Amino acid sequence: MQLKLDGSNFTVAAGETAIQLLPKEFALLEFMYRNKGRTFTRGQLLDKVWALEYPVERTVDDHIYRLRKKLRPFSGLTLQTVRGSGYCLSLKETASGPLVNPTTYDPELRDTMREVFGKFHVYGQGKSMLSLASQKDILGYELDPQVAVTLHFVQGDLDWLMHTEEVPLKDRLFHLFLFYMFTGDPKKKLEVCERVIQAQVMHPEDQLELDILTILDLFILSGEPERALARLPGSYQAISELGYENFVPVTMITELFAQLAAGAGNDVLMRLDEAVVQILQEKPFLRETGGYKIIKGLWQLRENQIAEAGQLLDEGLEVLERSGFVPLSLYGFYRIYHYCRLYLPPHPLHRKYERRLMEAMEESGLSRYEQPLENLLMRALNI
């Protein structure tokens, strides 16, 4: 059975049947469905679903009871009570095992689907990736493990990325570092980034992206845009030598950001801006489009064009949200907040985006993960 969970209206559907749930019922089902087959104690479920709240264990029992009644139309799904342990969600299988399409383990189809996911990822179509993944059992293909990691990143599923045993830690380190990067003081994140680069603990392709792209923003948001500008020629050279042409738009946008932070004049910024607009016409990637609008909005804010700045910043954030990449929406707020903090005098618009950043951090749960993430990264550095 394949469930489709819609967090925007707290509904769960299978086939033609859709059921409305209450928010906490939905959160409980979503967690248990993501971890189907595993048994959780009441205390563990309270920690995962009712974090920072203070309900009693009876709360779990009540929600399980209500979920069982509501989920009766889904005959293949069972919320089991495991005596002495807790609860487990299981899906019904046939006597000979789960039914699969004959194409499910076809290697050629698996490679093709990996390419399709890769194309959606390049264009920043996170919602397309999630929609395709939700149909894998119906379409009959096997989800590549690395694609699965990316999908959890797209959804902002930090809990899975930190604790799963389905894939090695090394396969998750880059995505975990990106989440860590969005918390707290950028100077501290820069220090950790430099240690990670030096330790070479990631896969080579992840290590490269950290070295030629990710660190550039940390230089800028730490108040050292000159270091980003000094490093950019090496980034462009690596991109050219390796044929990573899809990295060009984001690198150009980062260059525009670095020049803006370094106090470049409008003539310099306008030349870069024209080049960015041209390449986005050729490669209309959603993430890069959203990022560009945010940098352009910060430029207008520097020029005290408040109305234009607010419109561009909101448009950029809306594009990032539309892409479906939860972490990139956080990144948009993070960029706005720290640029304003470092490079501009106080303004009511700054407080607006600071408030929205705090709300996004709280909603995603990221605000309470900074130290656990740092501990995990420090452990990786000692491997």
Coordinates of all heavy atoms in Angstrom, one line a residue, residues 303-377:
E303 N 20.2 50.6 -1.7 CA 20.0 51.8 -2.4 C 18.8 52.6 -1.8 O 18.3 53.6 -2.3 CB 19.7 51.6 -3.9 CG 20.9 51.0 -4.6 CD 22.2 51.8 -4.5 OE1 22.1 53.0 -4.8 OE2 23.2 51.2 -4.0
N304 N 18.2 52.0 -0.7 CA 17.1 52.6 0.0 C 15.8 52.7 -0.8 O 14.9 53.5 -0.6 CB 17.4 54.0 0.5 CG 16.6 54.4 1.7 OD1 16.3 53.6 2.6 ND2 16.3 55.7 1.9
Q305 N 15.7 51.8 -1.8 CA 14.5 51.6 -2.6 C 13.6 50.6 -1.9 O 13.5 49.4 -2.3 CB 14.8 51.2 -4.0 CG 15.7 52.1 -4.8 CD 15.1 53.4 -5.0 OE1 13.9 53.6 -5.3 NE2 15.9 54.5 -4.9
I306 N 12.9 51.0 -0.8 CA 12.3 50.1 0.1 C 11.2 49.3 -0.5 O 11.1 48.1 -0.3 CB 11.8 50.9 1.4 CG1 12.9 51.7 2.0 CG2 11.2 49.9 2.4 CD1 14.1 50.9 2.4
A307 N 10.3 49.9 -1.2 CA 9.1 49.2 -1.8 C 9.6 48.2 -2.8 O 9.2 47.0 -2.8 CB 8.2 50.2 -2.5
E308 N 10.6 48.6 -3.7 CA 11.1 47.6 -4.7 C 11.8 46.5 -4.0 O 11.7 45.3 -4.4 CB 12.0 48.3 -5.7 CG 11.4 49.4 -6.6 CD 11.3 50.7 -5.9 OE1 11.5 50.8 -4.6 OE2 11.0 51.7 -6.6
A309 N 12.6 46.8 -3.0 CA 13.3 45.8 -2.2 C 12.4 44.7 -1.6 O 12.6 43.5 -1.8 CB 14.2 46.4 -1.2
G310 N 11.3 45.2 -0.9 CA 10.4 44.3 -0.3 C 9.7 43.4 -1.3 O 9.5 42.2 -1.0
Q311 N 9.3 44.0 -2.5 CA 8.7 43.2 -3.5 C 9.6 42.1 -4.0 O 9.2 40.9 -4.2 CB 8.2 44.1 -4.6 CG 7.5 43.3 -5.7 CD 6.9 44.2 -6.8 OE1 6.8 45.4 -6.6 NE2 6.6 43.7 -8.0
L312 N 10.8 42.4 -4.3 CA 11.8 41.4 -4.8 C 12.1 40.4 -3.8 O 12.2 39.2 -4.1 CB 13.1 42.1 -5.3 CG 13.0 42.9 -6.6 CD1 14.2 43.8 -6.8 CD2 13.0 41.8 -7.8
L313 N 12.3 40.7 -2.6 CA 12.6 39.8 -1.5 C 11.4 38.8 -1.4 O 11.7 37.6 -1.3 CB 12.9 40.5 -0.2 CG 14.2 41.3 -0.1 CD1 14.2 42.1 1.2 CD2 15.4 40.4 -0.3
D314 N 10.2 39.3 -1.4 CA 9.1 38.4 -1.2 C 8.9 37.5 -2.4 O 8.5 36.3 -2.3 CB 7.8 39.2 -1.0 CG 7.7 39.8 0.4 OD1 8.5 39.4 1.3 OD2 6.9 40.8 0.6
E315 N 9.2 38.1 -3.6 CA 9.1 37.2 -4.8 C 10.1 36.1 -4.8 O 9.8 35.0 -5.2 CB 9.3 38.1 -6.1 CG 8.2 39.0 -6.5 CD 8.5 39.9 -7.7 OE1 9.6 39.7 -8.2 OE2 7.6 40.7 -8.0
G316 N 11.4 36.4 -4.4 CA 12.4 35.4 -4.3 C 12.0 34.3 -3.3 O 12.2 33.1 -3.6
L317 N 11.5 34.7 -2.2 CA 11.1 33.7 -1.2 C 10.0 32.9 -1.7 O 9.9 31.6 -1.4 CB 10.7 34.4 0.1 CG 11.9 35.1 0.9 CD1 11.4 36.0 2.0 CD2 12.8 34.0 1.5
E318 N 9.1 33.5 -2.4 CA 7.9 32.7 -3.0 C 8.4 31.7 -4.0 O 7.9 30.6 -4.0 CB 6.9 33.7 -3.6 CG 5.6 33.1 -3.9 CD 5.5 32.4 -5.3 OE1 6.3 32.8 -6.2 OE2 4.8 31.4 -5.4
V319 N 9.3 32.1 -4.8 CA 9.9 31.1 -5.8 C 10.5 29.9 -5.1 O 10.4 28.8 -5.5 CB 10.9 31.8 -6.8 CG1 11.6 30.8 -7.6 CG2 10.2 32.8 -7.6
L320 N 11.3 30.2 -4.1 CA 12.0 29.1 -3.3 C 10.9 28.2 -2.7 O 11.1 27.0 -2.7 CB 12.9 29.7 -2.3 CG 14.1 30.5 -2.8 CD1 15.0 31.0 -1.7 CD2 15.0 29.6 -3.7
E321 N 9.9 28.8 -2.1 CA 8.8 28.0 -1.5 C 8.1 27.2 -2.6 O 7.8 26.0 -2.4 CB 7.8 28.9 -0.8 CG 6.7 28.1 -0.1 CD 5.8 29.0 0.6 OE1 6.0 30.2 0.7 OE2 4.8 28.5 1.2
R322 N 7.9 27.8 -3.8 CA 7.2 27.0 -4.9 C 8.1 25.9 -5.4 O 7.6 24.9 -5.9 CB 6.9 28.0 -6.0 CG 6.2 27.4 -7.2 CD 5.4 28.5 -7.9 NE 6.2 29.7 -8.1 CZ 6.9 30.0 -9.2 NH1 7.0 29.1 -10.1 NH2 7.6 31.1 -9.3
S323 N 9.4 26.0 -5.2 CA 10.3 24.9 -5.7 C 10.1 23.6 -4.9 O 10.3 22.5 -5.4 CB 11.7 25.3 -5.6 OG 12.2 25.3 -4.3
G324 N 9.6 23.8 -3.6 CA 9.4 22.6 -2.8 C 10.6 22.2 -2.0 O 10.5 21.3 -1.2
F325 N 11.7 23.0 -2.1 CA 12.9 22.7 -1.3 C 12.8 23.4 0.0 O 13.1 24.6 0.1 CB 14.2 23.1 -2.1 CG 14.6 22.2 -3.2 CD1 14.0 22.1 -4.4 CD2 15.8 21.4 -3.0 CE1 14.4 21.2 -5.3 CE2 16.2 20.6 -3.9 CZ 15.5 20.4 -5.1
V326 N 12.4 22.7 1.0 CA 12.2 23.3 2.4 C 13.5 24.0 2.8 O 13.5 25.2 3.3 CB 11.7 22.3 3.4 CG1 11.8 22.9 4.8 CG2 10.3 21.9 3.0
P327 N 14.7 23.4 2.7 CA 15.9 24.0 3.2 C 16.3 25.3 2.5 O 16.8 26.2 3.1 CB 17.0 22.9 3.0 CG 16.3 21.6 2.9 CD 15.0 22.0 2.2
L328 N 15.9 25.4 1.2 CA 16.3 26.6 0.5 C 15.4 27.8 0.9 O 15.9 28.9 0.8 CB 16.2 26.3 -1.0 CG 17.3 25.4 -1.6 CD1 17.5 25.7 -3.1 CD2 18.6 25.5 -0.9
S329 N 14.2 27.5 1.3 CA 13.4 28.6 1.8 C 14.1 29.1 3.1 O 14.1 30.4 3.3 CB 12.0 28.1 2.1 OG 11.3 27.8 0.9
L330 N 14.5 28.2 3.9 CA 15.3 28.7 5.1 C 16.5 29.5 4.8 O 16.8 30.5 5.4 CB 15.7 27.4 5.9 CG 14.6 26.7 6.7 CD1 15.1 25.3 7.2 CD2 14.1 27.5 7.8
Y331 N 17.2 29.0 3.7 CA 18.4 29.7 3.3 C 18.2 31.1 2.8 O 18.9 32.0 3.1 CB 19.1 28.8 2.2 CG 20.5 29.2 1.9 CD1 21.3 29.8 2.8 CD2 21.0 28.9 0.6 CE1 22.6 30.1 2.5 CE2 22.4 29.2 0.3 CZ 23.2 29.8 1.3 OH 24.4 30.1 1.0
G332 N 17.0 31.3 2.1 CA 16.6 32.6 1.7 C 16.5 33.6 2.9 O 17.0 34.7 2.8
F333 N 15.8 33.1 3.9 CA 15.6 34.0 5.1 C 17.0 34.2 5.8 O 17.3 35.3 6.2 CB 14.7 33.3 6.1 CG 13.2 33.3 5.7 CD1 12.5 32.1 5.5 CD2 12.6 34.5 5.4 CE1 11.2 32.1 5.1 CE2 11.2 34.5 5.0 CZ 10.6 33.3 4.9
Y334 N 17.8 33.2 5.8 CA 19.1 33.3 6.5 C 20.0 34.3 5.8 O 20.7 35.1 6.4 CB 19.8 31.9 6.4 CG 21.0 31.7 7.2 CD1 21.0 31.6 8.6 CD2 22.3 31.6 6.5 CE1 22.2 31.4 9.3 CE2 23.4 31.5 7.2 CZ 23.4 31.3 8.6 OH 24.6 31.1 9.3
R335 N 20.0 34.3 4.4 CA 20.8 35.3 3.7 C 20.3 36.7 3.9 O 21.1 37.6 4.2 CB 20.6 35.0 2.2 CG 21.7 34.1 1.6 CD 21.5 33.9 0.1 NE 22.7 33.5 -0.6 CZ 22.7 33.3 -1.9 NH1 21.6 33.4 -2.6 NH2 23.9 32.9 -2.5
I336 N 19.0 36.9 3.9 CA 18.5 38.2 4.1 C 18.8 38.8 5.5 O 19.3 39.9 5.7 CB 16.9 38.2 3.9 CG1 16.6 37.9 2.5 CG2 16.3 39.6 4.3 CD1 15.1 37.6 2.3
Y337 N 18.6 37.9 6.5 CA 18.9 38.3 7.9 C 20.3 38.7 8.1 O 20.6 39.8 8.7 CB 18.4 37.2 8.9 CG 18.9 37.5 10.3 CD1 18.3 38.5 11.0 CD2 19.9 36.8 10.9 CE1 18.7 38.8 12.3 CE2 20.3 37.0 12.2 CZ 19.7 38.0 12.9 OH 20.1 38.3 14.2
H338 N 21.2 37.9 7.7 CA 22.6 38.1 8.1 C 23.2 39.2 7.2 O 24.1 40.0 7.6 CB 23.5 36.8 8.0 CG 23.2 35.9 9.1 ND1 23.6 36.2 10.4 CD2 22.5 34.7 9.2 CE1 23.3 35.2 11.2 NE2 22.6 34.3 10.5
Y339 N 22.8 39.4 5.9 CA 23.3 40.5 5.1 C 22.8 41.8 5.8 O 23.6 42.7 5.9 CB 22.7 40.4 3.7 CG 23.1 41.6 2.9 CD1 24.4 41.7 2.3 CD2 22.3 42.7 2.8 CE1 24.8 42.8 1.5 CE2 22.7 43.8 2.0 CZ 23.9 43.9 1.4 OH 24.3 45.0 0.7
C340 N 21.6 41.9 6.1 CA 21.1 43.1 6.7 C 21.8 43.4 8.1 O 22.1 44.6 8.4 CB 19.6 43.0 7.0 SG 18.6 43.0 5.5
R341 N 22.0 42.4 8.8 CA 22.7 42.5 10.1 C 24.1 43.1 10.0 O 24.5 43.9 10.8 CB 22.7 41.2 10.8 CG 23.4 41.2 12.2 CD 23.4 39.8 12.8 NE 24.2 38.8 12.0 CZ 25.5 38.7 12.0 NH1 26.2 39.4 12.9 NH2 26.1 37.8 11.3
L342 N 24.8 42.6 8.9 CA 26.2 43.0 8.8 C 26.4 44.3 8.0 O 27.3 45.0 8.3 CB 27.0 41.8 8.1 CG 27.3 40.6 8.9 CD1 27.9 39.6 8.0 CD2 28.4 41.0 10.0
Y343 N 25.6 44.5 6.9 CA 26.0 45.5 5.9 C 25.0 46.7 5.9 O 25.3 47.6 5.1 CB 26.0 44.8 4.6 CG 27.1 43.7 4.5 CD1 26.7 42.4 4.5 CD2 28.4 44.0 4.4 CE1 27.6 41.3 4.4 CE2 29.4 43.0 4.4 CZ 29.0 41.6 4.3 OH 29.9 40.6 4.3
L344 N 23.9 46.7 6.6 CA 23.0 47.8 6.4 C 22.6 48.3 7.8 O 22.6 47.6 8.8 CB 21.7 47.3 5.7 CG 21.8 46.8 4.3 CD1 20.5 46.3 3.7 CD2 22.3 47.9 3.4
P345 N 22.2 49.6 7.9 CA 21.7 50.2 9.1 C 20.3 49.6 9.5 O 19.6 49.1 8.6 CB 21.6 51.7 8.8 CG 21.5 51.7 7.4 CD 22.3 50.6 6.8
P346 N 19.9 49.6 10.7 CA 18.6 49.0 11.1 C 17.5 49.6 10.3 O 17.5 50.8 10.0 CB 18.6 49.3 12.6 CG 20.0 49.5 13.0 CD 20.7 50.1 11.9
H347 N 16.5 48.8 10.0 CA 15.3 49.2 9.3 C 14.2 48.3 9.7 O 14.4 47.1 9.9 CB 15.6 49.2 7.8 CG 14.5 49.8 7.0 ND1 13.3 49.1 6.7 CD2 14.4 51.1 6.5 CE1 12.6 49.9 5.9 NE2 13.1 51.1 5.8
P348 N 12.9 48.8 9.7 CA 11.8 47.9 10.0 C 11.7 46.7 9.1 O 11.2 45.6 9.6 CB 10.6 48.9 9.8 CG 11.1 50.2 10.1 CD 12.5 50.2 9.6
L349 N 12.1 46.8 7.9 CA 12.0 45.7 7.0 C 13.0 44.5 7.4 O 12.6 43.4 7.3 CB 12.5 46.1 5.6 CG 11.9 45.3 4.4 CD1 10.4 45.2 4.4 CD2 12.5 45.8 3.1
H350 N 14.1 44.9 8.1 CA 15.0 43.9 8.6 C 14.3 43.0 9.7 O 14.4 41.8 9.7 CB 16.2 44.5 9.2 CG 17.0 45.4 8.3 ND1 18.1 46.2 8.7 CD2 16.8 45.7 7.0 CE1 18.5 46.9 7.7 NE2 17.7 46.7 6.7
R351 N 13.5 43.7 10.6 CA 12.9 43.0 11.6 C 11.8 42.1 11.1 O 11.6 41.0 11.7 CB 12.3 44.0 12.6 CG 13.3 44.8 13.4 CD 12.7 45.6 14.6 NE 11.9 46.7 14.1 CZ 12.4 47.9 13.8 NH1 13.7 48.1 14.0 NH2 11.7 48.9 13.4
K352 N 11.2 42.5 10.0 CA 10.2 41.6 9.4 C 10.8 40.3 9.0 O 10.2 39.2 9.3 CB 9.6 42.3 8.1 CG 8.7 41.4 7.2 CD 8.3 42.1 5.9 CE 7.7 41.2 5.0 NZ 7.3 41.8 3.7
Y353 N 11.9 40.3 8.3 CA 12.5 39.1 7.8 C 13.2 38.3 8.9 O 13.3 37.1 8.9 CB 13.5 39.4 6.6 CG 12.7 39.8 5.4 CD1 12.7 41.2 5.0 CD2 11.9 38.9 4.7 CE1 12.0 41.6 3.9 CE2 11.2 39.4 3.6 CZ 11.2 40.7 3.2 OH 10.5 41.1 2.1
E354 N 13.7 39.0 10.0 CA 14.2 38.3 11.1 C 13.1 37.5 11.8 O 13.3 36.4 12.2 CB 14.8 39.3 12.1 CG 15.3 38.7 13.4 CD 15.8 39.6 14.4 OE1 15.6 40.9 14.2 OE2 16.4 39.2 15.4
R355 N 11.9 38.1 11.9 CA 10.8 37.4 12.5 C 10.4 36.2 11.6 O 10.1 35.1 12.2 CB 9.6 38.4 12.6 CG 8.4 37.8 13.3 CD 7.3 38.8 13.6 NE 6.8 39.3 12.3 CZ 7.0 40.5 11.8 NH1 7.8 41.3 12.4 NH2 6.5 40.9 10.6
R356 N 10.4 36.4 10.3 CA 10.0 35.3 9.5 C 11.1 34.2 9.5 O 10.7 33.0 9.4 CB 9.8 35.8 8.0 CG 8.6 36.7 7.9 CD 8.3 37.1 6.4 NE 8.0 35.9 5.6 CZ 7.8 36.0 4.3 NH1 7.9 37.2 3.7 NH2 7.5 34.9 3.6
L357 N 12.3 34.5 9.7 CA 13.4 33.5 9.8 C 13.1 32.7 11.1 O 13.2 31.5 11.1 CB 14.8 34.2 9.9 CG 15.9 33.2 10.2 CD1 16.1 32.1 9.2 CD2 17.2 34.0 10.4
M358 N 12.9 33.4 12.2 CA 12.6 32.7 13.5 C 11.4 31.8 13.3 O 11.4 30.6 13.9 CB 12.4 33.7 14.6 CG 13.6 34.6 14.9 SD 15.1 33.6 15.3 CE 16.1 33.8 13.8
E359 N 10.4 32.2 12.7 CA 9.2 31.4 12.5 C 9.5 30.2 11.7 O 9.0 29.1 12.0 CB 8.1 32.2 11.9 CG 7.5 33.3 12.8 CD 6.6 34.3 12.0 OE1 6.5 34.2 10.8 OE2 5.9 35.1 12.7
A360 N 10.2 30.4 10.6 CA 10.6 29.2 9.7 C 11.5 28.2 10.4 O 11.3 27.0 10.3 CB 11.3 29.7 8.4
M361 N 12.4 28.7 11.3 CA 13.3 27.9 12.0 C 12.5 27.0 13.0 O 12.7 25.8 13.2 CB 14.3 28.7 12.8 CG 15.3 29.4 11.9 SD 16.7 28.3 11.4 CE 17.6 28.2 12.9
E362 N 11.5 27.7 13.7 CA 10.7 27.0 14.6 C 9.8 25.9 14.0 O 9.6 24.8 14.4 CB 9.9 28.0 15.4 CG 9.1 27.4 16.6 CD 10.0 26.7 17.6 OE1 11.1 27.3 17.9 OE2 9.6 25.7 18.2
E363 N 9.2 26.3 12.8 CA 8.3 25.4 12.1 C 9.0 24.2 11.6 O 8.5 23.1 11.6 CB 7.6 26.2 11.0 CG 6.6 25.4 10.2 CD 6.0 26.1 9.1 OE1 6.1 27.4 9.0 OE2 5.3 25.5 8.2
S364 N 10.2 24.4 11.1 CA 11.0 23.3 10.6 C 11.6 22.4 11.7 O 12.1 21.3 11.4 CB 12.1 23.8 9.7 OG 13.1 24.5 10.4
G365 N 11.7 22.9 12.9 CA 12.3 22.2 14.0 C 13.8 22.5 14.1 O 14.5 21.9 15.0
L366 N 14.4 23.2 13.1 CA 15.8 23.4 13.0 C 16.4 24.2 14.2 O 17.5 24.0 14.6 CB 16.1 24.2 11.7 CG 17.6 24.3 11.3 CD1 18.2 22.9 11.2 CD2 17.7 25.0 10.0
S367 N 15.6 25.0 14.9 CA 16.0 25.8 16.0 C 16.6 25.0 17.1 O 17.4 25.5 17.9 CB 14.9 26.8 16.5 OG 13.8 26.0 16.8
R368 N 16.1 23.8 17.3 CA 16.6 22.9 18.4 C 17.6 21.9 18.0 O 17.9 21.0 18.7 CB 15.4 22.3 19.1 CG 14.5 21.4 18.2 CD 13.3 20.8 19.0 NE 12.5 20.0 18.2 CZ 11.4 20.4 17.5 NH1 11.1 21.7 17.5 NH2 10.7 19.6 16.8
Y369 N 18.0 21.9 16.7 CA 18.9 20.9 16.2 C 20.4 21.3 16.1 O 21.2 20.6 15.7 CB 18.4 20.4 14.8 CG 17.4 19.3 14.9 CD1 16.1 19.5 14.5 CD2 17.8 18.0 15.3 CE1 15.2 18.5 14.6 CE2 16.9 17.0 15.4 CZ 15.6 17.2 15.0 OH 14.6 16.2 15.0
E370 N 20.7 22.6 16.4 CA 22.0 23.1 16.1 C 23.1 22.3 16.8 O 24.1 21.8 16.2 CB 22.2 24.6 16.5 CG 23.6 25.1 16.2 CD 23.7 26.6 16.6 OE1 22.7 27.2 17.1 OE2 24.7 27.2 16.3
Q371 N 22.9 22.1 18.1 CA 23.9 21.3 18.9 C 24.0 19.9 18.5 O 25.1 19.3 18.3 CB 23.7 21.5 20.4 CG 24.9 21.0 21.2 CD 26.1 21.8 20.9 OE1 26.2 23.0 20.9 NE2 27.2 21.1 20.6
P372 N 22.9 19.2 18.3 CA 23.0 17.8 17.9 C 23.7 17.7 16.5 O 24.4 16.7 16.3 CB 21.5 17.3 17.8 CG 20.8 18.2 18.8 CD 21.5 19.5 18.7
L373 N 23.4 18.6 15.6 CA 24.0 18.6 14.3 C 25.5 18.8 14.4 O 26.4 18.1 13.8 CB 23.4 19.7 13.4 CG 22.2 19.3 12.6 CD1 21.6 20.6 12.0 CD2 22.5 18.3 11.5
E374 N 25.9 19.8 15.3 CA 27.3 20.0 15.5 C 28.0 18.8 16.1 O 29.2 18.4 15.7 CB 27.5 21.2 16.4 CG 29.0 21.6 16.6 CD 29.1 23.0 17.3 OE1 28.5 23.9 16.9 OE2 29.9 23.0 18.3
N375 N 27.4 18.1 17.0 CA 28.0 16.9 17.6 C 28.2 15.8 16.6 O 29.2 15.1 16.6 CB 27.1 16.4 18.7 CG 26.9 17.3 19.9 OD1 27.8 18.2 20.1 ND2 25.9 17.2 20.7
L376 N 27.2 15.7 15.7 CA 27.3 14.7 14.6 C 28.5 15.0 13.7 O 29.2 14.1 13.3 CB 26.0 14.6 13.9 CG 25.8 13.4 12.9 CD1 25.9 12.1 13.7 CD2 24.4 13.6 12.2
L377 N 28.6 16.3 13.3 CA 29.7 16.7 12.4 C 31.0 16.5 13.1 O 32.0 16.1 12.4 CB 29.5 18.1 11.9 CG 28.3 18.4 11.0 CD1 28.0 19.8 10.9 CD2 28.6 17.8 9.6

